[in-house]
């Protein structure tokens, strides 16, 4: 994971983990899939980056996967809605990078292999160095 991917990942853990409303809807926000956690929970997953630089500034576009595991069968689940609302809050300074844009670009709701439902949310963050 490069610097921008790591910075976005850490910022997502902080923003989601510090939200009181989300804390009332899930049992925790975890870095990756937790070994033991009761559903529902949020997992901050992988971050994929690509060049998004300008002529005079280094930049990265980072796509971060957030997973809400163990939700009910209703696609309008309150926890998923809260995560989507918090995505814009990822903007700002993050470990030597500035996240200048953050938005949900894809969601997927489906039945998980291990049982229960999963709501995957893909967030695109555009970052500039400094």
């Amino acid at each position: 994971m490069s610097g921008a991917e790591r910075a976005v990942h850490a910022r997502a853990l902080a923003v989601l983990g510090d939200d009181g409303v989300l804390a009332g809807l899930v049992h925790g926000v975890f870095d990756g899939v937790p070994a033991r956690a009761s559903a529902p929970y949020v997992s901050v997953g992988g971050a994929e980056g690509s060049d998004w630089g300008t002529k005079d500034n280094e930049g990265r576009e980072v796509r971060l996967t957030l997973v809400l595991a163990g939700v009910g069968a209703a696609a309008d689940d309150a926890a998923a809605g809260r995560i989507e609302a918090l995505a814009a809050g990822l903007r700002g300074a993050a470990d030597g990078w500035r996240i200048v844009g953050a938005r949900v670009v894809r969601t997927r709701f489906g039945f998980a292999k291990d049982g229960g439902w999963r709501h995957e949310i893909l967030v695109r963050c555009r970052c500039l160095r400094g």
Side-chain angles (χ1 to χ4, degrees), residues 71-89:
V71 295
D76 61 343
D77 184 79
R82 184 64 185 168
I83 292 168
E84 289 185 30
L86 290 170

Side-chain angles (χ1 to χ4, degrees), residues 8 11 78 89 96-97 125:
V8 168
R11 178 115 172 118
W97 292 84
C125 295

Side-chain angles (χ1 to χ4, degrees), residues 10 13 18 23 25 30-31 33 58 62 64-65 75-76 87 90 103 105 120 123-124 129:
L13 281 169
D18 291 344
L25 298 170
F30 299 96
D31 183 3
V33 178
E58 182 182 357
V62 178
L64 179 70
T65 303
D76 61 343
L90 294 177
R103 66 181 296 172
V105 292
E120 294 180 13
V123 180
R124 181 188 70 204
R129 172 78 69 186

